[in-house]
Amino acid sequence: MKISEILKNNRCTVSFEVFPPKQWDKIESTKAVVDEMCKANPSFMSVTYGATGTKAGFTQEIAEEIKRCGVTPLSHLTCLTSTKEKVDSVVDGLKAAGVENILALRGDIPEGFVFPDEQYFEYAYQLVNEIKERGDFCIGGACYPEIHTESKNRVEDMEHLKYKVDCGLDFLTSQMFFDNEKFLDFVEMCRIKGIDVPIIAGIMPITNARQIKRSIELSNCSVPKKFYKIMERFGDDDASMLQAGIIYATEQIIDLMANGINNIHIYTMNKPAVALQIMGGLSEIIR
């Protein structure tokens, strides 16, 4: 099923993200994680893609496992360090496997990376165009509620996002954020700009204090004083921080839904217990 169809009916949706293993001998344990998460009946599940494309086969394998469990899969695909031939091969493989949804991403620039003279992909919109030529896929893209780390300002950021959407994106999924007001303001700016595709809110449950620094670096997001207080109070106690992080993420989702944001994507970090507890806290709301 295409995610664009799932998002059409204005029902509340909650989806999960998982990542494939780094080594093939871990593939079965990752499939076990997928199987456990599928018990919560997420609206769909996405699987990430290695920044250098080294885990393309792993990504497809996990996407097929998600599909086998009866959940709609969304396969990430990055293009920055890939050739056109590599991208085409991956897209054709997904098509043959019956995976209908792709999240088209440029990918992070590896440290020391120098663009070759004949670099085929430099931006995500080029990948969107390539995917559309290879088949009838539902294509999603990423967005940054608090400005992409490489953008000069909000105006430039919105211009780039609008252009990418106009190339044929069916939906957007946001990077993680911890301040709902930032996301709500961002959605309003998108609508004013004429970006009218569904925008899925990306939520990262922070279940240990060590996560927070890396999370901020990746998403360029601000952290509310309320959350800093939670970390100060519970960060040194793993069990307390786990519970507090799950509650904070659940309350964040409830507040978003109360403000009309129906579509939520949870960055699970391959932790089924966290995903299942959050879904339990939302059971009547999303029912």
Side-chain angles (χ1 to χ4, degrees), residues 1 63 120 164 188 190 198 208 212 216 229 233 259 278:
M1 187 175 188
Y120 194 83
K164 182 168 66 172
E188 184 176 0
C190 285
N208 68 71
I212 192 68
I216 293 171
K229 288 294 185 183
R233 179 67 177 83
N259 280 279
I278 291 175

Side-chain angles (χ1 to χ4, degrees), residues 176 178 204-218 223 227-228 230-232 234-242 245 269 271:
M176 68 192 79
F178 302 105
M204 167 74 86
I206 300 297
T207 55
N208 68 71
R210 293 181 297 277
Q211 275 183 279
I212 192 68
K213 182 178 179 182
R214 181 60 176 156
S215 298
I216 293 171
E217 289 173 354
L218 286 172
V223 180
F227 195 77
Y228 273 122
I230 290 173
M231 287 192 298
E232 287 176 6
F234 305 113
D236 293 332
D237 184 314
D238 290 345
S240 296
M241 189 64 217
L242 172 64
M269 301 302 291
K271 296 178 179 177

Side-chain angles (χ1 to χ4, degrees), residues 123-162:
Y123 303 103
Y125 77 83
Q126 295 165 322
L127 177 59
V128 174
N129 292 333
E130 188 69 18
I131 294 169
K132 289 179 73 67
E133 289 184 3
R134 305 299 296 184
D136 182 25
F137 291 95
C138 173
I139 308 173
C143 59
Y144 287 71
E146 297 181 63
I147 305 179
H148 192 285
T149 53
E150 296 170 28
S151 292
K152 294 177 183 177
N153 52 50
R154 173 63 76 188
V155 173
E156 179 184 85
D157 198 46
M158 295 298 289
E159 289 290 343
H160 290 165
L161 183 60
K162 179 70 162 62

Side-chain angles (χ1 to χ4, degrees), residues 12-280:
C12 291
T13 70
V14 180
S15 53
F16 299 156
E17 177 179 288
V18 295
F19 53 81
K22 294 181 179 179
Q23 293 86 30
W24 185 257
D25 61 1
K26 305 293 185 185
I27 197 77
E28 292 304 321
S29 60
T30 304
K31 286 183 179 181
V33 166
V34 168
D35 296 350
E36 189 66 20
M37 287 190 182
C38 285
K39 293 177 182 178
N41 296 315
S43 301
F44 63 89
M45 284 181 66
S46 73
V47 53
T48 63
Y49 188 85
T52 60
T54 54
K55 298 193 283 289
F58 295 6
T59 297
Q60 182 175 323
E61 185 81 8
I62 298 304
E64 289 181 22
E65 180 67 14
I66 293 168
K67 190 170 184 287
R68 188 193 67 77
C69 290
V71 175
T72 297
L74 167 63
S75 181
H76 291 212
L77 177 58
T78 62
C79 63
L80 180 63
T81 56
S82 290
T83 63
K84 179 181 185 298
E85 291 72 24
K86 174 67 172 177
V87 165
D88 288 350
S89 174
V90 172
V91 172
D92 291 347
L94 293 171
K95 183 178 180 180
V99 177
E100 299 180 281
N101 306 285
I102 297 177
L103 191 70
L105 306 165
R106 184 201 66 177
D108 297 327
I109 299 177
E111 188 174 349
F113 179 76
V114 177
F115 283 93
D117 292 337
E118 296 183 359
Q119 174 75 17
Y120 194 83
F121 298 108
E122 291 187 40
Y123 303 103
Y125 77 83
Q126 295 165 322
L127 177 59
V128 174
N129 292 333
E130 188 69 18
I131 294 169
K132 289 179 73 67
E133 289 184 3
R134 305 299 296 184
D136 182 25
F137 291 95
C138 173
I139 308 173
C143 59
Y144 287 71
E146 297 181 63
I147 305 179
H148 192 285
T149 53
E150 296 170 28
S151 292
K152 294 177 183 177
N153 52 50
R154 173 63 76 188
V155 173
E156 179 184 85
D157 198 46
M158 295 298 289
E159 289 290 343
H160 290 165
L161 183 60
K162 179 70 162 62
Y163 186 82
K164 182 168 66 172
V165 170
D166 287 348
C167 284
L169 291 184
D170 297 291
F171 65 93
L172 292 167
T173 301
S174 85
Q175 273 285 359
M176 68 192 79
F177 60 93
F178 302 105
D179 186 338
N180 284 359
E181 291 302 318
K182 302 283 188 184
F183 181 79
L184 294 171
D185 289 346
F186 168 73
V187 171
E188 184 176 0
M189 283 185 280
C190 285
R191 301 317 185 205
I192 292 171
K193 186 69 178 176
I195 298 171
D196 56 4
V197 296
I199 302 175
I200 304 172
I203 300 298
M204 167 74 86
I206 300 297
T207 55
N208 68 71
R210 293 181 297 277
Q211 275 183 279
I212 192 68
K213 182 178 179 182
R214 181 60 176 156
S215 298
I216 293 171
E217 289 173 354
L218 286 172
S219 62
N220 195 36
C221 63
S222 56
V223 180
K225 182 179 179 181
K226 175 183 177 180
F227 195 77
Y228 273 122
K229 288 294 185 183
I230 290 173
M231 287 192 298
E232 287 176 6
R233 179 67 177 83
F234 305 113
D236 293 332
D237 184 314
D238 290 345
S240 296
M241 189 64 217
L242 172 64
Q243 187 175 52
I246 289 170
I247 292 171
Y248 186 91
T250 304
E251 289 181 346
Q252 197 180 355
I253 293 168
I254 291 170
D255 180 65
L256 286 167
M257 290 181 171
N259 280 279
I261 305 300
N262 288 336
N263 305 307
I264 307 295
H265 191 60
I266 301 175
Y267 298 108
T268 69
M269 301 302 291
N270 286 24
K271 296 178 179 177
V274 172
L276 292 170
Q277 285 185 61
I278 291 175
M279 288 294 272

